[in-house]
Amino acid sequence: MRLFVHKPCSMVVSKVETKQYATIRLGPRSLKVMSSWKPSRTGECSVSNRETKLSNKWMEYQGIKNWDGLLDPLDEDLRSEILRYGGFVEAAYRSFEFDKSSPGKYGTCRYGRDSLLTQCGLGGIGYKVTKNLRATSGIQMPGWIDKTPSWVSTQSSWIGYVAVCTDKEEISRLGRRDVVIALRGTVTCLEWMENLRVTLTTLSCKNEMDQSSSSSRAMVEQGFLSLYTSKMTTCPSLRDSVREEISRIIQTYGDKEPLSFTITGHSLGAALATLTAYDISSTFKQLTTVISFGGPRVGNKKFSENLERNGTRILRIVNSNDVITKVPGFVIKEDQHNINTSDQKKKVKNGNQKLITTASLAARLVPAWLQKHVENTQWLYADVGKELQLCCNNSNMVTCHDLKTYLDLVNCFVSSTCPLRATAKKVLCRRAQHDQQQLLLR
């Protein structure tokens, strides 16, 4: 289902996939690395203040029924939950130390675990941070890199945290004890370089994430797997840190009450969230849900099938004009050679629908030999989970990928027949005008 609103901005709902990268600007005198998140003027996270009791339907909102009947129109309680989890991701960005001038500070967490959520405006939500998480790049840098500023070669950096709901009233409202893993997007140079390692690689038994003896193995993007599994002598891998903390939480709370694991991230964080969910559902057999924003494609068809078989539920929030959501690799669906032109005509007559594009038509006509060739190049990816596709018609690539744009779109979306709330155009236009002003000032 696709929705488009004309005038300065518009929006959509449907099914697709996504990707994240930071922007690197090269100049004659400087190297500037920008993250995929821009600070807002208020200094507070964009969280929903809706206090609806979810206890009777919490498993539906966690995707036990793949969010059927909740996306179009967008259920108000689900909207609130998406925005609430988006607030956790914003906190991950706000807590990252961007200051490159102080040696040893860049890439760390600005706050202690006890104050992190409070410092980010989430002090009253009933959650407690129990674990800081770091991601390490497996890229081996050349010796001359030592002559560059230390932040250029930062190999391991703080990427997010684990938070557990500890407030009795909030546990009662949610209907279970919720465990959140929040992951930020690309910031450091080596993370950016890992994003460019787009060839699929096998989740081997050595990695203990795929025990299949079949010749058809689950495969994921090489750079994402590197960031998830690489470690240093002084720093465990992101995978090991997550497993250790999840094991501790299950031992502490598992037999006492319903327990849910919600992994949320933006951009690179969305890709790592999918890998983390794959690992948790495979290792611990727990109900695991992913709420991702602007995330890239992660793995191949076998990887997608394994996620489905393990019961992992993934809701991908996608801006159709965000190029990061369309990479890496290619996606060729099995039924793409079947084109029902009469259905396409009906969609066009109903309005608010795009004609089938030349690119999608070409994809549907790809011959089998070419599909096999693409698969052999290890560039053939597959979609995962369920998608809520939105659209903001903005030519600024950074704005289209920005987390706050995603949260604005979620907050504004109503349904395929009424895409935007009454105030949506004003909100989106104000953001577009603000971004344009910022560009003029640079």
Side-chain angles (χ1 to χ4, degrees):
M1 63 199 95
R2 301 194 175 210
L3 350 151
F4 291 91
V5 177
H6 302 292
K7 308 284 183 211
C9 297
S10 68
M11 210 175 256
V12 193
V13 173
S14 164
K15 307 174 184 175
V16 189
E17 57 291 285
T18 141
K19 172 136 196 176
Q20 135 65 41
Y21 296 131
T23 301
I24 277 193
R25 294 185 175 180
L26 290 171
R29 298 184 181 179
S30 65
L31 172 67
K32 183 177 181 182
V33 179
M34 301 174 65
S35 76
S36 49
W37 170 83
K38 296 179 292 182
S40 67
R41 289 164 289 180
T42 63
E44 294 185 358
C45 295
S46 305
V47 295
S48 170
N49 57 5
R50 187 177 175 85
E51 295 295 335
T52 305
K53 191 174 181 64
L54 304 177
S55 56
N56 295 330
K57 298 178 65 177
W58 72 267
M59 294 189 73
E60 291 185 37
Y61 292 115
Q62 289 295 107
I64 195 67
K65 297 181 180 179
N66 283 315
W67 296 281
D68 290 341
L70 298 177
L71 298 179
D72 188 18
L74 183 59
D75 181 90
E76 287 297 329
D77 292 330
L78 178 58
R79 182 202 314 280
S80 177
E81 286 295 277
I82 293 172
L83 293 175
R84 188 168 70 89
Y85 288 119
F88 284 107
V89 183
E90 276 197 297
Y93 277 115
R94 293 184 185 282
S95 299
F96 183 85
E97 181 55 78
F98 288 91
D99 184 12
K100 304 183 185 73
S101 61
S102 301
K105 277 191 173 183
Y106 178 75
T108 62
C109 182
R110 296 171 61 195
Y111 312 116
R113 290 189 310 183
D114 293 337
S115 63
L116 188 154
L117 294 178
T118 300
Q119 292 284 353
C120 296
L122 301 180
I125 62 173
Y127 284 73
K128 179 181 179 181
V129 175
T130 62
K131 183 83 171 181
N132 283 310
L133 301 174
R134 298 180 67 89
T136 301
S137 169
I139 295 177
Q140 300 299 314
M141 302 299 289
W144 57 260
I145 202 69
D146 293 336
K147 298 179 181 179
T148 64
S150 60
W151 59 268
V152 174
S153 58
T154 299
Q155 192 166 9
S156 179
S157 59
W158 186 87
I159 198 163
Y161 57 91
V162 181
V164 179
C165 185
T166 56
D167 182 77
K168 292 183 179 180
E169 291 185 4
E170 184 67 1
I171 291 172
S172 176
R173 185 185 77 84
L174 296 175
R176 84 282 186 189
R177 186 183 295 274
D178 188 35
V179 179
V180 173
I181 299 177
L183 303 169
R184 61 164 177 81
T186 302
V187 174
T188 71
C189 288
L190 288 184
E191 288 169 357
W192 191 89
M193 292 176 66
E194 291 282 23
N195 286 337
L196 299 178
R197 300 171 69 190
V198 298
T199 304
L200 289 166
T201 187
T202 302
L203 287 171
S204 66
C205 295
K206 181 178 179 180
N207 288 328
E208 300 177 2
M209 291 178 63
D210 184 76
Q211 302 297 328
S212 173
S213 59
S214 170
S215 58
S216 177
R217 291 281 183 86
M219 303 180 75
V220 297
E221 203 231 42
Q222 185 177 6
F224 299 152
L225 185 62
S226 173
L227 286 169
Y228 189 62
T229 59
S230 297
K231 60 184 177 181
M232 302 171 65
T233 55
T234 57
C235 180
S237 67
L238 176 58
R239 178 188 64 185
D240 291 343
S241 296
V242 168
R243 286 184 177 182
E244 178 185 354
E245 184 62 10
I246 295 304
S247 178
R248 186 195 68 80
I249 290 172
I250 292 174
Q251 291 178 8
T252 304
Y253 303 110
D255 297 331
K256 300 178 182 178
E257 58 206 334
L259 194 62
S260 68
F261 294 92
T262 309
I263 312 170
T264 183
H266 170 247
S267 201
L268 169 64
L272 294 177
T274 304
L275 277 177
T276 302
Y278 185 96
D279 196 16
I280 292 176
S281 59
S282 301
T283 306
F284 299 99
K285 311 300 180 183
Q286 294 288 322
L287 174 62
T288 308
T289 301
V290 175
I291 306 292
S292 72
F293 301 88
R297 298 166 186 159
V298 178
N300 66 353
K301 182 181 177 182
K302 184 66 175 178
F303 175 74
S304 177
E305 290 174 348
N306 286 354
L307 280 167
E308 184 70 24
R309 186 177 64 250
N310 292 336
T312 304
R313 296 293 179 254
I314 300 176
L315 179 60
R316 294 176 295 114
I317 318 299
V318 173
N319 178 359
S320 62
N321 286 334
D322 180 4
V323 296
I324 298 303
T325 67
K326 299 173 174 62
V327 292
F330 307 94
V331 172
I332 301 176
K333 297 180 180 178
E334 292 181 354
D335 61 347
Q336 283 186 327
H337 61 279
N338 297 319
I339 304 176
N340 190 327
T341 55
S342 62
D343 287 346
Q344 292 297 330
K345 291 179 181 178
K346 289 179 183 178
K347 289 181 179 181
V348 174
K349 288 180 180 179
N350 289 335
N352 293 328
Q353 299 291 340
K354 273 191 172 181
L355 282 168
I356 183 170
T357 64
T358 302
S360 62
L361 179 61
R364 293 168 185 244
L365 297 176
V366 173
W369 67 267
L370 184 55
Q371 294 186 31
K372 183 64 176 177
H373 176 72
V374 172
E375 186 174 358
N376 290 338
T377 64
Q378 297 182 340
W379 273 58
L380 189 59
Y381 284 73
D383 300 339
V384 296
K386 196 72 173 280
E387 181 181 275
L388 175 62
Q389 189 182 76
L390 310 173
C391 177
C392 177
N393 287 341
N394 191 309
S395 59
N396 187 322
M397 292 176 59
V398 175
T399 298
C400 285
H401 186 58
D402 185 39
L403 175 60
K404 287 179 289 300
T405 298
Y406 274 86
L407 298 182
D408 281 345
L409 291 173
V410 171
N411 191 43
C412 294
F413 176 72
V414 179
S415 71
S416 57
T417 57
C418 181
L420 299 174
R421 294 176 184 264
T423 59
K425 292 179 183 179
K426 294 180 181 179
V427 172
L428 295 173
C429 288
R430 278 201 303 268
R431 180 171 295 284
Q433 291 170 1
H434 173 70
D435 291 338
Q436 188 174 13
Q437 291 172 358
Q438 293 299 310
L439 285 174
L440 292 174
L441 292 175
R442 289 176 183 174

PDB file of all heavy atoms in Angstrom, residues 174-202:
ATOM      1  N   LEU A 174       2.789  -2.299  30.614  1.00  0.00           N
ATOM      2  CA  LEU A 174       3.271  -3.002  29.433  1.00  0.00           C
ATOM      3  C   LEU A 174       2.835  -4.459  29.390  1.00  0.00           C
ATOM      4  O   LEU A 174       2.822  -5.073  28.325  1.00  0.00           O
ATOM      5  CB  LEU A 174       4.809  -2.937  29.376  1.00  0.00           C
ATOM      6  CG  LEU A 174       5.430  -1.549  29.207  1.00  0.00           C
ATOM      7  CD1 LEU A 174       6.952  -1.647  29.293  1.00  0.00           C
ATOM      8  CD2 LEU A 174       5.012  -0.923  27.885  1.00  0.00           C
ATOM      9  N   GLY A 175       2.508  -5.024  30.541  1.00  0.00           N
ATOM     10  CA  GLY A 175       2.098  -6.425  30.595  1.00  0.00           C
ATOM     11  C   GLY A 175       3.247  -7.396  30.688  1.00  0.00           C
ATOM     12  O   GLY A 175       3.052  -8.610  30.683  1.00  0.00           O
ATOM     13  N   ARG A 176       4.455  -6.918  30.793  1.00  0.00           N
ATOM     14  CA  ARG A 176       5.642  -7.762  30.917  1.00  0.00           C
ATOM     15  C   ARG A 176       6.815  -6.882  31.312  1.00  0.00           C
ATOM     16  O   ARG A 176       6.739  -5.660  31.273  1.00  0.00           O
ATOM     17  CB  ARG A 176       5.949  -8.500  29.618  1.00  0.00           C
ATOM     18  CG  ARG A 176       6.760  -7.721  28.570  1.00  0.00           C
ATOM     19  CD  ARG A 176       5.961  -6.708  27.796  1.00  0.00           C
ATOM     20  NE  ARG A 176       6.744  -6.098  26.713  1.00  0.00           N
ATOM     21  CZ  ARG A 176       6.339  -5.068  25.994  1.00  0.00           C
ATOM     22  NH1 ARG A 176       5.163  -4.501  26.216  1.00  0.00           N
ATOM     23  NH2 ARG A 176       7.108  -4.586  25.033  1.00  0.00           N
ATOM     24  N   ARG A 177       7.926  -7.535  31.670  1.00  0.00           N
ATOM     25  CA  ARG A 177       9.175  -6.804  31.898  1.00  0.00           C
ATOM     26  C   ARG A 177       9.891  -6.701  30.548  1.00  0.00           C
ATOM     27  O   ARG A 177      10.269  -7.704  29.952  1.00  0.00           O
ATOM     28  CB  ARG A 177      10.053  -7.514  32.923  1.00  0.00           C
ATOM     29  CG  ARG A 177      11.314  -6.701  33.299  1.00  0.00           C
ATOM     30  CD  ARG A 177      12.194  -7.464  34.272  1.00  0.00           C
ATOM     31  NE  ARG A 177      11.546  -7.663  35.553  1.00  0.00           N
ATOM     32  CZ  ARG A 177      11.563  -6.809  36.564  1.00  0.00           C
ATOM     33  NH1 ARG A 177      12.218  -5.654  36.430  1.00  0.00           N
ATOM     34  NH2 ARG A 177      10.949  -7.087  37.702  1.00  0.00           N
ATOM     35  N   ASP A 178      10.062  -5.489  30.074  1.00  0.00           N
ATOM     36  CA  ASP A 178      10.648  -5.266  28.762  1.00  0.00           C
ATOM     37  C   ASP A 178      12.146  -5.001  28.876  1.00  0.00           C
ATOM     38  O   ASP A 178      12.592  -4.253  29.746  1.00  0.00           O
ATOM     39  CB  ASP A 178       9.961  -4.068  28.098  1.00  0.00           C
ATOM     40  CG  ASP A 178      10.375  -3.875  26.652  1.00  0.00           C
ATOM     41  OD1 ASP A 178      10.599  -4.892  25.965  1.00  0.00           O
ATOM     42  OD2 ASP A 178      10.473  -2.709  26.211  1.00  0.00           O
ATOM     43  N   VAL A 179      12.912  -5.629  28.002  1.00  0.00           N
ATOM     44  CA  VAL A 179      14.351  -5.409  27.920  1.00  0.00           C
ATOM     45  C   VAL A 179      14.637  -4.758  26.568  1.00  0.00           C
ATOM     46  O   VAL A 179      14.259  -5.292  25.524  1.00  0.00           O
ATOM     47  CB  VAL A 179      15.138  -6.725  28.041  1.00  0.00           C
ATOM     48  CG1 VAL A 179      16.645  -6.467  27.915  1.00  0.00           C
ATOM     49  CG2 VAL A 179      14.810  -7.421  29.352  1.00  0.00           C
ATOM     50  N   VAL A 180      15.269  -3.594  26.589  1.00  0.00           N
ATOM     51  CA  VAL A 180      15.551  -2.845  25.366  1.00  0.00           C
ATOM     52  C   VAL A 180      17.050  -2.846  25.085  1.00  0.00           C
ATOM     53  O   VAL A 180      17.854  -2.609  25.990  1.00  0.00           O
ATOM     54  CB  VAL A 180      15.050  -1.385  25.474  1.00  0.00           C
ATOM     55  CG1 VAL A 180      15.500  -0.568  24.261  1.00  0.00           C
ATOM     56  CG2 VAL A 180      13.538  -1.353  25.592  1.00  0.00           C
ATOM     57  N   ILE A 181      17.392  -3.123  23.835  1.00  0.00           N
ATOM     58  CA  ILE A 181      18.759  -2.932  23.368  1.00  0.00           C
ATOM     59  C   ILE A 181      18.696  -1.841  22.308  1.00  0.00           C
ATOM     60  O   ILE A 181      18.037  -2.006  21.277  1.00  0.00           O
ATOM     61  CB  ILE A 181      19.346  -4.223  22.768  1.00  0.00           C
ATOM     62  CG1 ILE A 181      19.374  -5.331  23.824  1.00  0.00           C
ATOM     63  CG2 ILE A 181      20.759  -3.968  22.230  1.00  0.00           C
ATOM     64  CD1 ILE A 181      19.868  -6.668  23.292  1.00  0.00           C
ATOM     65  N   ALA A 182      19.328  -0.708  22.576  1.00  0.00           N
ATOM     66  CA  ALA A 182      19.274   0.448  21.668  1.00  0.00           C
ATOM     67  C   ALA A 182      20.652   0.667  21.051  1.00  0.00           C
ATOM     68  O   ALA A 182      21.664   0.714  21.764  1.00  0.00           O
ATOM     69  CB  ALA A 182      18.825   1.699  22.418  1.00  0.00           C
ATOM     70  N   LEU A 183      20.678   0.827  19.716  1.00  0.00           N
ATOM     71  CA  LEU A 183      21.945   0.937  18.992  1.00  0.00           C
ATOM     72  C   LEU A 183      21.920   2.149  18.057  1.00  0.00           C
ATOM     73  O   LEU A 183      20.959   2.329  17.296  1.00  0.00           O
ATOM     74  CB  LEU A 183      22.205  -0.334  18.187  1.00  0.00           C
ATOM     75  CG  LEU A 183      22.232  -1.641  18.993  1.00  0.00           C
ATOM     76  CD1 LEU A 183      22.226  -2.836  18.060  1.00  0.00           C
ATOM     77  CD2 LEU A 183      23.441  -1.680  19.909  1.00  0.00           C
ATOM     78  N   ARG A 184      22.964   2.941  18.100  1.00  0.00           N
ATOM     79  CA  ARG A 184      23.069   4.122  17.233  1.00  0.00           C
ATOM     80  C   ARG A 184      23.540   3.719  15.840  1.00  0.00           C
ATOM     81  O   ARG A 184      23.929   2.577  15.580  1.00  0.00           O
ATOM     82  CB  ARG A 184      24.060   5.118  17.829  1.00  0.00           C
ATOM     83  CG  ARG A 184      25.451   4.555  17.974  1.00  0.00           C
ATOM     84  CD  ARG A 184      26.512   5.615  18.182  1.00  0.00           C
ATOM     85  NE  ARG A 184      27.827   4.997  18.395  1.00  0.00           N
ATOM     86  CZ  ARG A 184      28.601   4.555  17.443  1.00  0.00           C
ATOM     87  NH1 ARG A 184      28.206   4.630  16.177  1.00  0.00           N
ATOM     88  NH2 ARG A 184      29.790   4.030  17.711  1.00  0.00           N
ATOM     89  N   GLY A 185      23.551   4.717  14.937  1.00  0.00           N
ATOM     90  CA  GLY A 185      24.039   4.502  13.580  1.00  0.00           C
ATOM     91  C   GLY A 185      25.511   4.823  13.430  1.00  0.00           C
ATOM     92  O   GLY A 185      26.228   5.072  14.405  1.00  0.00           O
ATOM     93  N   THR A 186      25.975   4.841  12.202  1.00  0.00           N
ATOM     94  CA  THR A 186      27.394   5.037  11.893  1.00  0.00           C
ATOM     95  C   THR A 186      27.909   6.397  12.343  1.00  0.00           C
ATOM     96  O   THR A 186      27.270   7.414  12.093  1.00  0.00           O
ATOM     97  CB  THR A 186      27.636   4.903  10.384  1.00  0.00           C
ATOM     98  OG1 THR A 186      27.191   3.626   9.956  1.00  0.00           O
ATOM     99  CG2 THR A 186      29.102   5.061  10.042  1.00  0.00           C
ATOM    100  N   VAL A 187      29.067   6.393  12.990  1.00  0.00           N
ATOM    101  CA  VAL A 187      29.710   7.638  13.400  1.00  0.00           C
ATOM    102  C   VAL A 187      31.193   7.633  13.030  1.00  0.00           C
ATOM    103  O   VAL A 187      31.690   8.565  12.405  1.00  0.00           O
ATOM    104  CB  VAL A 187      29.545   7.879  14.918  1.00  0.00           C
ATOM    105  CG1 VAL A 187      30.346   9.112  15.335  1.00  0.00           C
ATOM    106  CG2 VAL A 187      28.081   8.056  15.285  1.00  0.00           C
ATOM    107  N   THR A 188      31.926   6.604  13.405  1.00  0.00           N
ATOM    108  CA  THR A 188      33.392   6.617  13.256  1.00  0.00           C
ATOM    109  C   THR A 188      33.834   6.253  11.838  1.00  0.00           C
ATOM    110  O   THR A 188      33.085   5.663  11.060  1.00  0.00           O
ATOM    111  CB  THR A 188      34.050   5.645  14.249  1.00  0.00           C
ATOM    112  OG1 THR A 188      33.763   4.290  13.840  1.00  0.00           O
ATOM    113  CG2 THR A 188      33.521   5.849  15.658  1.00  0.00           C
ATOM    114  N   CYS A 189      35.075   6.584  11.535  1.00  0.00           N
ATOM    115  CA  CYS A 189      35.633   6.300  10.209  1.00  0.00           C
ATOM    116  C   CYS A 189      35.629   4.805   9.895  1.00  0.00           C
ATOM    117  O   CYS A 189      35.263   4.391   8.792  1.00  0.00           O
ATOM    118  CB  CYS A 189      37.062   6.828  10.124  1.00  0.00           C
ATOM    119  SG  CYS A 189      37.192   8.621  10.029  1.00  0.00           S
ATOM    120  N   LEU A 190      36.050   3.989  10.865  1.00  0.00           N
ATOM    121  CA  LEU A 190      36.123   2.553  10.606  1.00  0.00           C
ATOM    122  C   LEU A 190      34.738   1.935  10.477  1.00  0.00           C
ATOM    123  O   LEU A 190      34.553   0.966   9.738  1.00  0.00           O
ATOM    124  CB  LEU A 190      36.930   1.856  11.699  1.00  0.00           C
ATOM    125  CG  LEU A 190      38.438   2.117  11.675  1.00  0.00           C
ATOM    126  CD1 LEU A 190      39.154   1.294  12.741  1.00  0.00           C
ATOM    127  CD2 LEU A 190      39.016   1.804  10.300  1.00  0.00           C
ATOM    128  N   GLU A 191      33.757   2.477  11.176  1.00  0.00           N
ATOM    129  CA  GLU A 191      32.377   2.002  10.985  1.00  0.00           C
ATOM    130  C   GLU A 191      31.922   2.306   9.568  1.00  0.00           C
ATOM    131  O   GLU A 191      31.261   1.488   8.927  1.00  0.00           O
ATOM    132  CB  GLU A 191      31.440   2.664  12.004  1.00  0.00           C
ATOM    133  CG  GLU A 191      31.628   2.157  13.422  1.00  0.00           C
ATOM    134  CD  GLU A 191      30.882   2.998  14.441  1.00  0.00           C
ATOM    135  OE1 GLU A 191      30.269   4.012  14.051  1.00  0.00           O
ATOM    136  OE2 GLU A 191      30.916   2.642  15.629  1.00  0.00           O
ATOM    137  N   TRP A 192      32.271   3.485   9.081  1.00  0.00           N
ATOM    138  CA  TRP A 192      31.923   3.858   7.718  1.00  0.00           C
ATOM    139  C   TRP A 192      32.571   2.904   6.719  1.00  0.00           C
ATOM    140  O   TRP A 192      31.951   2.458   5.749  1.00  0.00           O
ATOM    141  CB  TRP A 192      32.391   5.289   7.456  1.00  0.00           C
ATOM    142  CG  TRP A 192      31.864   5.879   6.185  1.00  0.00           C
ATOM    143  CD1 TRP A 192      30.715   6.574   5.999  1.00  0.00           C
ATOM    144  CD2 TRP A 192      32.515   5.827   4.914  1.00  0.00           C
ATOM    145  NE1 TRP A 192      30.602   6.959   4.678  1.00  0.00           N
ATOM    146  CE2 TRP A 192      31.689   6.516   3.991  1.00  0.00           C
ATOM    147  CE3 TRP A 192      33.715   5.269   4.462  1.00  0.00           C
ATOM    148  CZ2 TRP A 192      32.027   6.648   2.644  1.00  0.00           C
ATOM    149  CZ3 TRP A 192      34.050   5.415   3.110  1.00  0.00           C
ATOM    150  CH2 TRP A 192      33.203   6.104   2.228  1.00  0.00           C
ATOM    151  N   MET A 193      33.830   2.556   6.976  1.00  0.00           N
ATOM    152  CA  MET A 193      34.533   1.633   6.085  1.00  0.00           C
ATOM    153  C   MET A 193      33.927   0.240   6.136  1.00  0.00           C
ATOM    154  O   MET A 193      33.827  -0.447   5.112  1.00  0.00           O
ATOM    155  CB  MET A 193      36.020   1.588   6.463  1.00  0.00           C
ATOM    156  CG  MET A 193      36.759   2.892   6.187  1.00  0.00           C
ATOM    157  SD  MET A 193      38.492   2.860   6.735  1.00  0.00           S
ATOM    158  CE  MET A 193      39.158   1.622   5.640  1.00  0.00           C
ATOM    159  N   GLU A 194      33.491  -0.189   7.317  1.00  0.00           N
ATOM    160  CA  GLU A 194      32.840  -1.499   7.434  1.00  0.00           C
ATOM    161  C   GLU A 194      31.541  -1.530   6.625  1.00  0.00           C
ATOM    162  O   GLU A 194      31.187  -2.544   6.022  1.00  0.00           O
ATOM    163  CB  GLU A 194      32.546  -1.826   8.904  1.00  0.00           C
ATOM    164  CG  GLU A 194      33.772  -2.107   9.761  1.00  0.00           C
ATOM    165  CD  GLU A 194      34.334  -3.507   9.552  1.00  0.00           C
ATOM    166  OE1 GLU A 194      34.087  -4.114   8.485  1.00  0.00           O
ATOM    167  OE2 GLU A 194      35.025  -3.991  10.470  1.00  0.00           O
ATOM    168  N   ASN A 195      30.841  -0.406   6.593  1.00  0.00           N
ATOM    169  CA  ASN A 195      29.599  -0.345   5.824  1.00  0.00           C
ATOM    170  C   ASN A 195      29.822  -0.611   4.341  1.00  0.00           C
ATOM    171  O   ASN A 195      28.916  -1.063   3.640  1.00  0.00           O
ATOM    172  CB  ASN A 195      28.960   1.044   5.980  1.00  0.00           C
ATOM    173  CG  ASN A 195      28.318   1.243   7.333  1.00  0.00           C
ATOM    174  OD1 ASN A 195      27.956   0.303   8.001  1.00  0.00           O
ATOM    175  ND2 ASN A 195      28.197   2.498   7.738  1.00  0.00           N
ATOM    176  N   LEU A 196      31.030  -0.299   3.866  1.00  0.00           N
ATOM    177  CA  LEU A 196      31.339  -0.474   2.452  1.00  0.00           C
ATOM    178  C   LEU A 196      31.747  -1.898   2.100  1.00  0.00           C
ATOM    179  O   LEU A 196      31.904  -2.220   0.921  1.00  0.00           O
ATOM    180  CB  LEU A 196      32.455   0.493   2.038  1.00  0.00           C
ATOM    181  CG  LEU A 196      32.128   1.985   2.214  1.00  0.00           C
ATOM    182  CD1 LEU A 196      33.320   2.841   1.814  1.00  0.00           C
ATOM    183  CD2 LEU A 196      30.895   2.377   1.407  1.00  0.00           C
ATOM    184  N   ARG A 197      31.904  -2.753   3.092  1.00  0.00           N
ATOM    185  CA  ARG A 197      32.250  -4.160   2.839  1.00  0.00           C
ATOM    186  C   ARG A 197      30.943  -4.929   2.634  1.00  0.00           C
ATOM    187  O   ARG A 197      30.462  -5.634   3.515  1.00  0.00           O
ATOM    188  CB  ARG A 197      33.058  -4.723   4.000  1.00  0.00           C
ATOM    189  CG  ARG A 197      34.370  -3.982   4.237  1.00  0.00           C
ATOM    190  CD  ARG A 197      35.021  -4.426   5.535  1.00  0.00           C
ATOM    191  NE  ARG A 197      35.502  -5.796   5.460  1.00  0.00           N
ATOM    192  CZ  ARG A 197      35.939  -6.498   6.504  1.00  0.00           C
ATOM    193  NH1 ARG A 197      35.947  -5.934   7.715  1.00  0.00           N
ATOM    194  NH2 ARG A 197      36.346  -7.731   6.365  1.00  0.00           N
ATOM    195  N   VAL A 198      30.385  -4.797   1.439  1.00  0.00           N
ATOM    196  CA  VAL A 198      29.002  -5.225   1.204  1.00  0.00           C
ATOM    197  C   VAL A 198      28.866  -6.654   0.705  1.00  0.00           C
ATOM    198  O   VAL A 198      27.750  -7.136   0.511  1.00  0.00           O
ATOM    199  CB  VAL A 198      28.316  -4.271   0.209  1.00  0.00           C
ATOM    200  CG1 VAL A 198      28.271  -2.863   0.786  1.00  0.00           C
ATOM    201  CG2 VAL A 198      29.030  -4.253  -1.141  1.00  0.00           C
ATOM    202  N   THR A 199      29.958  -7.361   0.492  1.00  0.00           N
ATOM    203  CA  THR A 199      29.870  -8.749   0.051  1.00  0.00           C
ATOM    204  C   THR A 199      29.291  -9.616   1.158  1.00  0.00           C
ATOM    205  O   THR A 199      29.640  -9.465   2.329  1.00  0.00           O
ATOM    206  CB  THR A 199      31.258  -9.287  -0.341  1.00  0.00           C
ATOM    207  OG1 THR A 199      31.824  -8.439  -1.339  1.00  0.00           O
ATOM    208  CG2 THR A 199      31.158 -10.708  -0.877  1.00  0.00           C
ATOM    209  N   LEU A 200      28.406 -10.532   0.789  1.00  0.00           N
ATOM    210  CA  LEU A 200      27.819 -11.434   1.777  1.00  0.00           C
ATOM    211  C   LEU A 200      28.855 -12.457   2.249  1.00  0.00           C
ATOM    212  O   LEU A 200      29.662 -12.942   1.449  1.00  0.00           O
ATOM    213  CB  LEU A 200      26.618 -12.173   1.180  1.00  0.00           C
ATOM    214  CG  LEU A 200      25.364 -11.336   0.937  1.00  0.00           C
ATOM    215  CD1 LEU A 200      24.393 -12.080   0.038  1.00  0.00           C
ATOM    216  CD2 LEU A 200      24.694 -11.000   2.273  1.00  0.00           C
ATOM    217  N   THR A 201      28.802 -12.769   3.526  1.00  0.00           N
ATOM    218  CA  THR A 201      29.702 -13.774   4.087  1.00  0.00           C
ATOM    219  C   THR A 201      28.898 -14.719   4.972  1.00  0.00           C
ATOM    220  O   THR A 201      27.867 -14.350   5.531  1.00  0.00           O
ATOM    221  CB  THR A 201      30.833 -13.116   4.895  1.00  0.00           C
ATOM    222  OG1 THR A 201      31.790 -14.104   5.284  1.00  0.00           O
ATOM    223  CG2 THR A 201      30.296 -12.440   6.153  1.00  0.00           C
ATOM    224  N   THR A 202      29.370 -15.945   5.094  1.00  0.00           N
ATOM    225  CA  THR A 202      28.614 -16.994   5.781  1.00  0.00           C
ATOM    226  C   THR A 202      28.656 -16.827   7.293  1.00  0.00           C
ATOM    227  O   THR A 202      29.697 -16.512   7.869  1.00  0.00           O
ATOM    228  CB  THR A 202      29.171 -18.376   5.413  1.00  0.00           C
ATOM    229  OG1 THR A 202      29.115 -18.544   3.998  1.00  0.00           O
ATOM    230  CG2 THR A 202      28.362 -19.477   6.095  1.00  0.00           C
TER     231      THR A 202
END
